[in-house]
Amino acid sequence: MSKVQTGKNVNLEKVQTRIENHIDTLSTYTATPGRGTTRLTYSQEDLLARQYIKEKMKEAGLSVREDGLGNIFGKLEGSLKDAPSVLVGSHFDSVPNGGAYDGPAGVVAGLEVAKLFAENGLAPKYPLEVVALIEEEGSRFGGGLMGSRGMAGLLTEEDFKTLKDKDGITTVEAMEKIGLDPSLPKARDQKSVKAYLELHIEQGPILEEKNIPIGIVEAIVGLTQLEVTVKGQAGHAGTTPMDRRSDALVAAAGMIAHFPGLAAAEGDGTVVTTGRLQVYPNGANVIPDQTVFSVDIRSGKEEHVQNVIRRVKELAESYHDSGVEITIEQPLYIQPKEMNKEIVSLLKEKSSKLGYPSYPMNSGAGHDAMVFADYTSTGMLFIPSKNGLSHCPEEWSDSRHIAEAVQILFEAAAELTEAE
Ligand code: HGY
Ligand code: MN
Ligand code: MN
């Protein structure tokens, strides 16, 4: 039993066991069992995870609702009438063949913070809300950070309704298929939220290398996603001379081959990635007539992101006379974001009061917290990722570190909700 100086009882071993059960159960809700977590938004796997999360919210004594995007909220009412809530949570969708901790570690932490409120009989003045957000990765509908952007009013109803997955299924059709109601409100009044706290795995090697269990995020890099479409001319692979081709894949490959050089030219940790490439008609003996590929650009400095976007557009221009037509969409653009300074110092103070070493750091990954940074007082905790791996089946973090982060979030949420 670890007696927290502030007089709240937290049995870390018990919390850790519950965390392991949550993570293990959620990790079974995958479309690729044995090959990592694939839980796309509004899929059957989403539905199973959603049902589990809502059940655990109810067990923790929370009142549960879902908004017009499918974000899940578990609320512990406060004694102050119409007071803004302190939100604790993360996302519960995944990348294809991803890991079990990216997102769920933060949702599970929220569930455990609420459980500790219940076990300690804490009555908050400001409500506590556990939140499980949808489509942070953008793996099904593109862009990403959809649950938080929708809540913050950055996604119009029209934009939402036009989003389709690779099979042409719309968000509305997919939501209704799993019993969600897209007509419910999506944007949430900023005045109804006092703070947002998120635990996330670091997804990099720093904390593990420094052997420090807790990272306190000070800023999140800016990130942009481009979608490039190259239109050429399909043709016979055997009878079409090389000098009479408009090969959409050769043009795409030519552009992509330049991207590492663009990142290096900017420096300052700028990174450029093409993670998704679709080839049409994708026949071995057919010259591709269309390719669509993603360009993920990140940097701590916005000017580098802007420079890379400009260089990608110039590269596309350079193919102007080569018989292909190249168009570029920008489904997501977010500037680098600072976390709220009071929240950062609160998390630092609670970590040291509990005796957990912590390390101030920036995030190279994007998170819902970067959307909420402009919407409410926002802070993030990181825990180490084994071998710095993430977005792959090997992703793993220590449930003990999650439990320790839960204890910090519990203390911070108790203070922010003025619970007694
Ligand atoms: O891509 C990211 O940084 C996050 O995992 N969505
Ligand atoms: Mn991720
Ligand atoms: Mn994530």
Side-chain angles (χ1 to χ4, degrees), residues 91 95 102-103 136-137 200 203 365-367 390-391 395:
H91 63 96
V95 294
D102 175 359
E136 187 273 348
E137 300 291 2
H200 204 284
Q203 300 180 294
H367 301 288
S390 180
H391 281 191
E395 180 183 278

Side-chain angles (χ1 to χ4, degrees), residues 317-395:
E317 265 307 300
S318 70
Y319 283 87
H320 188 64
D321 301 328
S322 60
V324 294
E325 184 204 320
I326 300 178
T327 53
I328 299 176
E329 312 261 316
Q330 185 173 284
L332 182 69
Y333 180 89
I334 292 214
Q335 295 154 322
K337 291 289 166 62
E338 302 259 320
M339 296 295 98
N340 176 281
K341 294 214 178 341
E342 282 94 72
I343 301 284
V344 168
S345 45
L346 177 68
L347 293 173
K348 269 185 194 148
E349 177 221 323
K350 298 304 180 190
S351 305
S352 51
K353 182 188 272 187
L354 291 164
Y356 299 133
S358 66
Y359 181 71
M361 60 196 294
N362 289 343
S363 171
H367 301 288
D368 291 304
M370 69 199 301
V371 174
F372 288 132
D374 293 336
Y375 173 78
T376 188
S377 303
T378 295
M380 276 195 94
L381 288 182
F382 275 172
I383 54 166
S385 291
K386 189 167 185 311
N387 301 325
L389 291 177
S390 180
H391 281 191
C392 59
E394 298 81 2
E395 180 183 278

Side-chain angles (χ1 to χ4, degrees), residues 2 4 10-13 15-16 19 23 88-89 101 103-114 116-117 197-202 207 212-217 343 346-352 354-359 379-384 397-414:
S2 120
V4 174
V10 175
N11 181 327
L12 265 187
E13 290 69 28
V15 171
Q16 185 178 346
I19 286 167
I23 296 286
V88 186
Y101 296 81
V107 173
V108 162
L111 292 173
E112 284 306 308
V113 167
L116 288 172
F117 265 67
L197 305 178
E198 180 171 3
L199 165 66
H200 204 284
I201 56 172
E202 178 201 334
L207 290 174
I212 295 178
I214 298 290
I216 297 185
V217 178
I343 301 284
L346 177 68
L347 293 173
K348 269 185 194 148
E349 177 221 323
K350 298 304 180 190
S351 305
S352 51
L354 291 164
Y356 299 133
S358 66
Y359 181 71
M380 276 195 94
L381 288 182
F382 275 172
I383 54 166
S397 285
D398 190 333
S399 55
R400 179 70 182 196
H401 290 153
I402 301 176
E404 291 168 357
V406 162
Q407 210 176 354
I408 297 165
L409 292 175
F410 173 49
E411 291 298 326

Side-chain angles (χ1 to χ4, degrees), residues 96-133:
N97 303 96
Y101 296 81
D102 175 359
V107 173
V108 162
L111 292 173
E112 284 306 308
V113 167
K115 191 83 176 165
L116 288 172
F117 265 67
E119 286 178 346
N120 281 271
L122 286 193
K125 286 204 180 67
Y126 293 84
L128 173 76
E129 287 194 53
V130 180
V131 59
L133 297 159

Side-chain angles (χ1 to χ4, degrees), residues 31 83 154 168 186 189 199 236 262-263 305 353 366 372 400:
L154 302 175
K186 296 179 176 61
D189 182 350
L199 165 66
H236 195 296
L262 297 187
V305 175
K353 182 188 272 187
F372 288 132
R400 179 70 182 196

Side-chain angles (χ1 to χ4, degrees), residues 212-276:
I212 295 178
I214 298 290
I216 297 185
V217 178
E218 296 188 325
I220 303 176
V221 293
L223 82 87
T224 293
Q225 295 223 343
L226 303 179
E227 181 154 289
V228 182
T229 301
V230 183
K231 281 198 171 62
Q233 174 57 54
H236 195 296
T239 57
T240 312
M242 291 309 284
D243 62 357
R244 291 172 58 175
R245 295 181 177 209
S246 300
D247 185 324
L249 184 52
V250 168
M255 285 183 71
I256 295 165
H258 280 87
F259 292 169
L262 297 187
E266 295 301 324
D268 276 339
T270 303
V271 287
V272 184
T273 313
T274 288
R276 180 165 33 82

